[in-house]
Amino acid sequence: MQTNSTDWRYTVMPAVFTWLKETETGALEIDLVATQKYAADILRVEGKAGTRMGGLVGSGTLGENSYLSAEQRLSLLSALSEVAKEFNVPLISGAAAETKEALATIVKELATVGVDTVMVMPPKTKEAPCDDEMYAYYALAADAAREAGIKIMPYNNPDAAGYHALSTDILRKLAALPEVTALKISTTDVSVIETLMLENKDAKILAGVDTVTVHAGLAGACGGITGVGCIFPKASVTMQEYVNDGNWAEANKISQAMNSISYLDAQPLLLEYLKFAFGIHHNDEQGGLRTLGKKLTAAQIDDVRARYQLAKERLEALGLAE
């Protein structure tokens, strides 16, 4: 397996939330100003070694992507593009469609609002496509990205999000495409990362589940996309610094401190859970509960609040609760 992604330089990148506000009629609309502010605040934070987040992910799973209209999505990403440019980091966003033709159109649209890399999820079809069909789906997205002057990031997320799984053979072939800047592997089973890295030590793979950041690093991942890092960015960046340095003991201390809340990143309601935790962290619980997704029950709200508090106390002891 060969990869053309030798310029991939990112460490950890936050999958930022789309902040919402109520209109006079009680409907929800995107609060672009608040979303930009929170994104900038996250990118501004430094780890203990002085590094920052290496990119900005908008309108992904945590950005309520599947609930937004095309117009809302493009407006949101245009606003986040301003933040990404301010901090000189790439803007990444997600895309999925039922057909490869529809996907290619979305990829080109995203390029017009400043997206640098498109995380491409498997097709939204009821039946899983065969490997040839799956490869054709991604290959056409790669063609569209090349025409638009951007990159793609194949996104394997068969667990919490319930997308069709990408086989190791497909991932191997996709990594060789010149338009593929990295692979995103969002699963608690990091063995596929190790398998791909054993075949090619230069492959660029990003972990997508906060519970396995350290394990993914041990398997060879070059970084990750984080949800919990939006809440505790200093801890997330510092943990990745330790992973990059091979300081596994210190990285594991931070991972253990965040375990109670990182657990939520691997659940089907990760958007709703982590967005509420983010609201707690910023003294805006009501804002954290505003979502186009599912409404949390009282028991779920209490559980998230308890998990957040435990993680905060543990990170405070490490000086990483900022």
Side-chain angles (χ1 to χ4, degrees):
M1 180 180 66
Q2 296 182 347
T3 179
N4 294 280
S5 306
T6 54
D7 62 341
W8 189 262
R9 61 182 177 85
Y10 318 132
T11 51
V12 63
M13 296 175 281
V16 296
F17 305 100
T18 300
W19 219 243
L20 304 173
K21 60 184 178 181
E22 288 189 17
T23 65
E24 292 182 356
T25 63
L28 294 178
E29 67 178 15
I30 299 175
D31 188 335
L32 293 176
V33 174
T35 302
Q36 286 178 310
K37 178 188 180 300
Y38 283 136
D41 288 345
I42 294 166
L43 294 179
R44 196 172 284 117
V45 174
E46 295 183 355
K48 283 191 173 182
T51 61
R52 295 179 178 178
M53 298 282 187
L56 179 62
V57 181
S59 189
T61 302
L62 294 182
E64 316 216 15
N65 186 299
S66 60
Y67 300 105
L68 300 177
S69 68
E71 182 180 1
Q72 288 175 315
R73 191 175 301 117
L74 295 177
S75 175
L76 169 65
L77 290 168
S78 180
L80 288 175
S81 177
E82 296 176 12
V83 179
K85 289 176 181 176
E86 177 186 351
F87 288 87
N88 193 30
V89 297
L91 177 63
I92 298 100
S93 187
E98 290 189 12
T99 68
K100 60 182 185 293
E101 292 81 10
L103 175 65
T105 298
I106 294 173
V107 169
K108 292 179 180 178
E109 288 176 344
L110 294 178
T112 67
V113 291
V115 172
D116 300 286
T117 297
V118 180
M119 296 185 300
V120 180
M121 278 80 83
K124 297 190 295 184
T125 55
K126 185 175 181 180
E127 300 296 330
C130 67
D131 274 7
D132 286 345
E133 292 170 332
M134 186 74 84
Y135 181 80
Y137 174 86
Y138 279 94
L140 191 59
D143 290 343
R146 183 178 65 254
E147 293 176 12
I150 62 174
K151 300 289 185 179
I152 66 168
M153 183 192 303
Y155 183 2
N156 191 28
N157 191 1
D159 295 344
Y163 287 99
H164 302 311
L166 297 176
S167 69
T168 303
D169 284 342
I170 286 294
L171 290 170
R172 184 183 296 114
K173 291 177 181 177
L174 294 178
L177 294 175
E179 297 80 21
V180 170
T181 191
L183 302 175
K184 181 183 177 186
I185 307 296
S186 292
T187 173
T188 55
D189 180 5
V190 301
S191 61
V192 64
I193 297 176
E194 189 165 38
T195 297
L196 294 170
M197 293 303 300
L198 285 172
E199 295 180 7
N200 177 16
K201 62 181 179 60
D202 295 322
K204 305 300 178 183
I205 300 176
L206 297 175
V209 183
D210 282 300
T211 55
V212 299
T213 298
V214 178
H215 296 291
L218 281 165
C222 64
I225 293 177
T226 177
V228 174
C230 294
I231 305 165
F232 298 113
K234 189 176 185 68
S236 184
V237 173
T238 301
M239 179 166 59
Q240 189 62 50
E241 289 173 340
Y242 285 136
V243 168
N244 292 345
D245 291 340
N247 192 339
W248 306 111
E250 292 301 316
N252 200 47
K253 285 181 184 178
I254 301 173
S255 179
Q256 290 176 326
M258 293 197 293
N259 268 347
S260 63
I261 194 168
S262 294
Y263 164 85
L264 301 175
D265 190 48
Q267 305 307 308
L269 293 182
L270 72 163
L271 158 62
E272 293 84 352
Y273 288 156
L274 292 179
K275 190 173 187 181
F276 178 56
F278 185 84
I280 297 173
H281 191 66
H282 288 279
N283 299 311
D284 185 10
E285 291 194 8
Q286 186 56 45
L289 289 171
R290 291 192 192 109
T291 174
L292 301 173
K294 299 183 184 303
K295 303 301 180 184
L296 297 181
T297 65
Q300 290 169 330
I301 288 173
D302 288 343
D303 181 55
V304 172
R305 187 180 287 112
R307 289 179 177 278
Y308 163 80
Q309 189 59 40
L310 180 57
K312 181 183 178 184
E313 291 172 359
R314 290 172 171 174
L315 290 173
E316 283 176 339
L318 298 176
L320 294 171
E322 180 182 332

